[in-house]
Amino acid sequence: MSNQWFGLKKWAVVLIALTVIVAMSACGNGNTEGSGGTASSAPETTASNDAGNTAATNSDGGKEEQEKITLTFFTNNSDRNTGQGKVEQILIDQYMKEHPNITIKVETLSPDPQFQDKIKVYNASTSLPDIISAWGNVNYLGPLVANNALAELNRGELENLGFIPAALDSFSVDGKLYGFPRNSDFFVIYYNKKIFADNGLQVPKTEAELLDIFQKLKAKNIVPIAMDGQDAWVSGIWFDTMVQRAAGTWEVSHKAMDRSGSFKNEDTIMAARHMQQWIDAGAYGLGFLNQDYGTARNVFGQGKAAMYMMGEWEMGMASDENFPEEVRNNIGAFPFPSIEGGKGTTGDLTAWFGGGYAVSAYSKHKAEAIDFLKWMFRPDGWAKQVWVNGVTFPAQKYDQFMTGNETNVQKDLTQIFSNAKSYSGTVNQDKFTPDTQTTYYNSIQKLEGKQMTPEQFVEIIDQAAEQSANN
């Protein structure tokens, strides 16, 4: 376990205690339930500030106008009415109200691959918006830092904002901090408790139990798992999880990527073989490789699939009024089951620090952009808003905001996170360089489409890992 994840583990221990407290206080109370993205690009939106100018008192007792400043904010959260996008907009609107000389112009684009492609365009033309969505990984952060495109942040100035130290580490390069981390992310299987109950199904703890569920659901013409197969990053996280379930350790993947090991081993081949086994068993229905993020989310949210493979950031589905109340009230989550012949357990959690924000080094208003982010992540800001609204797990301490009225899926996710015995750290795909990441994604989709055998798959991705390490 790395030092980075020791920090997370320590926080998880605190969370266990809090969970007990919450559970005790919740007795007798009724219960209810991100990075994520939407299915398509959203048009640029501008959040205008019409509050007028702020006037400050000058030395003569008169009033002097503050400079009017416009900050550009480019985000991957296109949906501004639900989830993380809604929280972003609430905080932006509040900030502009309190700082009437500041206008924050919002541009959105999703899903993430399209967003990141546009970041590359902005970077190439040295025209990054003042504030951008960012990810603390080599693939994303590395090229921007190497191009001197991001403003370095003063870690000391963030000490009182309650960030988990390991989360800040994930946005650091060579000891220098370049981002404000947003979430503590982890991968689960959501499920519709009513569909399970109506069909006499129990939460599976083993792969054999899960495969049996697939067959029972298929017999009722119910899609077992809604899956975003079009965006290969989801399958990449699934692959990481399956490698751990086969090997019983995260070290196989870690060593394959730092080249002290290799993907060419029996555990990795087993993981790939079991992925094809799930697909052959009809886990995701027909045509799932053409199904994008928004479509998969909607299939589950509309009650047309019994399960949905995704990160904790989608717990906001339970409060998304685009979905029927019956579905919203019956969303739960469980960890990935063990697999036949594997050594991993349901207590091993694929978990990492997800998205966040960075400031452009080219910005004419770096100080104001950083001030806004410091305000956004003050203790009563992002962490409180995402938790009390059931949106996601923040990368900051949030125990003071737990009420005992958390939604059912929040409680399920808290239990999964708290009970985990090991955490993956940064997922494999984020360690590949941009070019080799493309090879990795293409290979996963060929594996899923049965265009590549498990043996061919591990051979190709091992070559990609070697190339990545040598770049």
Side-chain angles (χ1 to χ4, degrees):
M1 183 72 58
S2 67
N3 290 334
Q4 176 178 341
W5 284 93
F6 176 76
L8 178 56
K9 182 67 178 178
K10 188 175 179 181
W11 171 234
V13 171
V14 174
L15 197 53
I16 291 172
L18 292 169
T19 303
V20 174
I21 295 170
V22 169
M24 293 176 66
S25 63
C27 293
N29 292 339
N31 298 328
T32 56
E33 121 176 272
S35 133
T38 54
S40 60
S41 302
E44 179 178 311
T45 59
T46 301
S48 64
N49 172 20
D50 57 5
N53 295 331
T54 288
T57 303
N58 62 25
S59 58
D60 298 326
K63 302 290 185 181
E64 59 182 18
E65 287 191 352
Q66 289 182 303
E67 178 188 5
K68 280 190 170 183
I69 291 171
T70 297
L71 298 176
T72 50
F73 184 100
F74 185 34
T75 173
N76 63 326
N77 291 312
S78 293
D79 186 347
R80 313 305 286 172
N81 297 310
T82 61
Q84 296 186 61
K86 179 180 180 180
V87 173
E88 279 181 352
Q89 198 60 55
I90 288 172
L91 292 171
I92 287 170
D93 290 343
Q94 184 181 348
Y95 188 78
M96 291 195 298
K97 186 175 182 180
E98 295 179 12
H99 302 79
N101 65 312
I102 303 288
T103 294
I104 299 177
K105 183 179 178 182
V106 179
E107 177 188 359
T108 73
L109 183 60
S110 63
D112 291 349
Q114 280 82 344
F115 175 89
Q116 294 181 10
D117 283 345
K118 190 162 185 180
I119 285 291
K120 294 174 185 174
V121 174
Y122 275 134
N123 184 35
S125 58
T126 63
S127 58
L128 279 179
D130 298 304
I131 301 168
I132 58 173
S133 290
W135 290 264
N137 58 59
V138 171
N139 183 275
Y140 180 84
L141 210 59
L144 293 172
V145 171
N147 200 38
N148 298 314
L150 300 182
E152 183 184 348
L153 306 171
N154 185 331
R155 184 161 178 155
E157 293 181 354
L158 276 59
E159 284 184 349
N160 296 324
L161 301 182
F163 283 106
I164 300 169
L168 292 177
D169 291 343
S170 72
F171 275 80
S172 299
V173 177
D174 296 331
K176 297 179 180 178
L177 179 65
Y178 292 98
F180 288 71
R182 193 167 58 194
N183 306 326
S184 298
D185 289 334
F186 52 97
F187 202 52
V188 298
I189 300 178
Y190 292 96
Y191 73 111
N192 184 317
K193 294 184 176 183
K194 186 174 187 303
I195 291 179
F196 267 51
D198 290 348
N199 292 279
L201 305 176
Q202 301 294 320
V203 170
K205 295 182 179 178
T206 67
E207 185 181 47
E209 293 172 354
L210 184 63
L211 292 173
D212 183 58
I213 288 174
F214 292 165
Q215 299 311 312
K216 290 177 178 175
L217 290 170
K218 284 169 55 184
K220 298 289 185 67
N221 293 319
I222 300 171
V223 175
I225 302 178
M227 175 66 168
D228 171 14
Q230 189 177 87
D231 300 310
W233 61 267
V234 181
S235 296
I237 304 173
W238 179 32
F239 171 65
D240 284 359
T241 306
M242 296 297 274
V243 172
Q244 194 285 330
R245 291 296 185 267
T249 174
W250 303 105
E251 291 303 306
V252 170
S253 292
H254 294 172
K255 290 181 177 179
M257 292 307 300
D258 69 19
R259 303 317 291 161
S260 61
S262 168
F263 279 120
K264 293 189 289 185
N265 61 69
E266 289 302 316
D267 290 322
T268 313
I269 292 172
M270 177 191 286
R273 187 177 297 125
H274 281 256
M275 289 173 70
Q276 290 188 333
Q277 183 179 347
W278 286 29
I279 294 167
D280 290 342
Y284 309 116
L286 297 175
F288 78 93
L289 287 174
N290 295 319
Q291 190 164 261
D292 64 18
Y293 191 105
T295 302
R297 183 179 186 273
N298 196 53
V299 166
F300 177 74
Q302 297 298 338
K304 298 176 181 176
M307 293 171 276
Y308 178 41
M309 263 169 49
M310 192 46 66
E312 100 298 331
W313 56 84
E314 279 297 358
M315 68 184 186
M317 291 186 295
S319 57
D320 188 339
E321 295 186 354
N322 291 309
F323 299 146
E325 185 176 1
E326 182 179 85
V327 176
R328 286 186 272 131
N329 291 341
N330 283 286
I331 297 177
F334 59 85
F336 274 75
S338 59
I339 65 173
E340 303 308 307
K343 301 173 185 174
T345 72
T346 57
D348 302 302
L349 188 63
T350 310
W352 68 102
F353 291 109
Y357 306 96
V359 173
S360 169
Y362 314 124
S363 172
K364 296 179 181 178
H365 303 292
K366 279 188 288 189
E368 288 81 4
I370 293 170
D371 282 347
F372 163 68
L373 289 174
K374 287 162 64 178
W375 177 91
M376 183 177 179
F377 285 96
R378 73 198 189 283
D380 283 345
W382 178 261
K384 180 178 180 180
Q385 288 291 331
V386 296
W387 186 255
V388 300
N389 288 294
V391 173
T392 189
F393 280 56
Q396 298 165 272
K397 296 177 180 178
Y398 58 92
D399 52 288
Q400 67 269 38
F401 307 125
M402 298 182 83
T403 65
N405 293 319
E406 278 73 21
T407 61
N408 286 328
V409 73
Q410 270 183 299
K411 292 178 179 178
D412 283 355
L413 290 167
T414 297
Q415 190 171 32
I416 293 169
F417 188 67
S418 303
N419 291 342
K421 296 176 181 176
S422 74
Y423 304 89
S424 66
T426 303
V427 292
N428 281 331
Q429 60 193 284
D430 288 343
K431 298 176 182 176
F432 283 100
T433 58
D435 288 345
T436 56
Q437 186 188 60
T438 300
T439 300
Y440 179 70
Y441 284 157
N442 290 340
S443 300
I444 284 182
Q445 293 191 316
K446 287 181 179 178
L447 176 76
E448 292 174 321
K450 303 294 285 290
Q451 298 174 295
M452 192 176 279
T453 66
E455 290 79 6
Q456 291 170 328
F457 170 70
V458 300
E459 186 75 32
I460 294 296
I461 66 169
D462 195 65
Q463 292 174 9
E466 180 70 17
Q467 183 181 345
S468 182
N470 291 330
N471 283 340

